[in-house]
Amino acid sequence: NDLLNKLQPERFPDFAWSVYSVPQVDYPFHQMVLSVQKSSIDKLYNPLTVGRLLNNLERYPDGAEKYTMYDMFTDCRRTIWTEAITPATTNSFRRQLQLAHLQKVIDIYLSSPAVYPSDARTLAANDLDVIEGAAGRAAGAAGVDDMTRAHFKEVVRQIKAARSAQREFQTGMVFGG
């Protein structure tokens, strides 16, 4: 708390006098942390990274240890959503991480087949199923605070909205969710 209260945004004067139009006088640490969180999620779920993980299935001989797309999706989901899987109060940094992850999974789920491999879209659909079930249970669990309860209810709403959106399939035809 002491350190965060001492942080301030830069206010160096420039020729446009922007120092006087700083919209936030306290340091935007939630936004800064969210930027790092989103950057990490974007790297992990980049179509090229996901494609390389898919290729790992064929690059190594049977029985050899390999890290696959399934492993990455599962590891990320389990790590990011621990408070939903085992209901617990979720702090503001974890809530924003979970929402950033959820948005990426929804983006993959709704993506064009030309962007992500079909296995990635399948795993995104699976993640939505698992997250929806866990968030629904966590929203009704005893021992979580009201903000966490509201957060998990919002997660379920976003997943339902994504499922009702139109999704493009391999055939190029669009079907309702």
Side-chain angles (χ1 to χ4, degrees):
N1 292 352
D2 290 338
L3 174 63
L4 293 178
N5 287 326
K6 291 177 184 174
L7 295 175
Q8 296 180 19
E10 290 185 14
R11 294 184 183 190
F12 295 121
D14 59 11
F15 295 115
W17 296 99
S18 64
V19 66
Y20 300 108
S21 63
V22 174
Q24 184 174 351
V25 294
D26 60 328
Y27 188 74
F29 51 89
H30 272 91
Q31 291 89 334
M32 300 304 286
V33 170
L34 180 59
S35 175
V36 172
Q37 291 169 329
K38 281 185 174 182
S39 176
S40 299
I41 288 170
D42 288 344
K43 292 279 186 197
L44 287 168
Y45 289 95
N46 183 290
L48 296 174
T49 304
V50 171
R52 291 188 72 194
L53 290 171
L54 177 63
N55 291 339
N56 279 349
L57 291 171
E58 305 304 324
R59 293 182 67 213
Y60 298 96
D62 290 339
E65 188 174 341
K66 50 192 156 193
Y67 195 75
T68 66
M69 188 188 324
Y70 177 84
D71 297 326
M72 194 270 297
F73 270 76
T74 303
D75 289 345
C76 287
R77 184 186 68 244
R78 287 179 180 163
T79 302
I80 293 170
W81 294 93
T82 55
E83 297 89 353
I85 295 165
T86 305
T89 293
T90 309
N91 70 40
S92 57
F93 295 107
R94 295 282 297 170
R95 288 193 306 268
Q96 73 182 16
L97 171 63
Q98 290 169 353
L99 291 175
H101 178 259
L102 178 63
Q103 187 58 57
K104 180 56 75 173
V105 171
I106 288 171
D107 289 348
I108 295 169
Y109 172 75
L110 295 174
S111 70
S112 164
V115 177
Y116 283 95
S118 60
D119 284 353
R121 292 166 37 114
T122 299
L123 289 170
N126 181 65
D127 275 4
L128 292 177
D129 291 342
V130 174
I131 294 166
E132 182 179 24
R137 286 187 298 279
V144 298
D145 67 358
D146 291 337
M147 188 64 220
T148 299
R149 190 175 319 285
H151 165 69
F152 287 132
K153 286 179 182 179
E154 176 61 19
V155 166
V156 171
R157 277 192 290 276
Q158 287 187 27
I159 292 171
K160 287 180 179 178
R163 288 225 175 87
S164 68
Q166 290 190 338
R167 186 173 179 209
E168 192 175 328
F169 288 89
Q170 286 294 96
T171 62
M173 299 174 66
V174 178
F175 299 95

